[in-house]
Amino acid sequence: LFNYTIMQRPDNPAENASHMGYVVRLQNVWVWDQVKECFRFRHPNHDAVIDNSRHVSLEFAAPSEPGPMDALLHGFAGYFDAVLYKDVVISIHPETHSPDMFSWFPMYFPLQQPLLVHPGERVVVDFWRVVDSTRVWYEWAVSEPVAQAIHNSRGKTYSIGLFS
């Protein structure tokens, strides 16, 4: 999948397909830290001012045992779980995945430049859910161990239109 994203626009790497998320069935992946909560939403939202924009900074630690080795980080996986009604829950979270649910998959957020991560090293990534009057989009950027540019800044490559 990483190779697919970089090959879509070899003539213009700044606008290549690594600036959008992909809903995919993840295969051949190494999950080397626990899944972290990113965003939480409540529906209906009774706040006086409704703002579904979000920002979070997440920290991941590369394993140092067993057998320390470098890893090449190509991106991040996003999962969800939802309470539909009372105790009716659907989930694609690896630890709480709904049995026999094969129609929803994780979101893959690629990195334009893979990141070499050393054993025990810390990786910090920021995710934003941005909303304006007509659309919503996600942005993401690694800030540690090496800062990278924001992916999909201002929703330039990918956004979802909102109904008014």
Side-chain angles (χ1 to χ4, degrees):
L1 186 56
F2 172 77
N3 288 335
Y4 169 82
T5 64
I6 61 172
M7 295 307 294
Q8 294 308 298
R9 293 292 306 270
D11 58 316
N12 189 350
E15 292 186 18
N16 74 25
S18 67
H19 287 264
M20 61 187 296
Y22 294 86
V23 176
V24 296
R25 183 168 182 253
L26 297 174
Q27 300 177 39
N28 300 322
V29 299
W30 180 35
V31 179
W32 45 265
D33 201 352
Q34 294 182 343
V35 174
K36 316 276 181 170
E37 182 173 307
C38 193
F39 304 132
R40 183 178 288 258
F41 299 91
R42 293 187 88 58
H43 182 76
N45 185 342
H46 296 293
D47 293 345
V49 176
I50 296 175
D51 181 5
N52 285 315
S53 298
R54 302 284 192 275
H55 170 256
V56 67
S57 185
L58 301 173
E59 181 178 321
F60 299 92
S64 54
E65 296 294 331
M69 67 171 122
D70 291 340
L72 195 57
L73 178 64
H74 292 99
F76 298 89
Y79 304 95
F80 81 90
D81 53 25
V83 177
L84 300 178
Y85 179 77
K86 294 185 180 179
D87 64 345
V88 178
V89 177
I90 59 172
S91 175
I92 61 168
H93 187 290
E95 296 173 11
T96 59
H97 194 280
S98 299
D100 301 322
M101 187 169 77
F102 299 105
S103 58
W104 294 47
F105 297 102
M107 181 80 106
Y108 167 62
F109 294 93
L111 295 177
Q112 184 172 341
Q113 290 287 16
L115 181 63
L116 183 63
V117 180
H118 305 290
E121 195 165 38
R122 192 171 91 125
V123 174
V124 178
V125 60
D126 287 88
F127 283 95
W128 295 267
R129 183 183 193 269
V130 187
V131 180
D132 68 15
S133 61
T134 61
R135 57 199 184 112
V136 61
W137 66 92
Y138 293 92
E139 299 176 0
W140 61 99
V142 170
S143 58
E144 292 182 38
V146 177
Q148 294 190 352
I150 296 174
H151 291 71
N152 196 36
S153 179
R154 296 181 306 278
K156 182 178 178 181
T157 304
Y158 181 74
S159 64
I160 302 165
L162 298 174
F163 296 105
S164 50

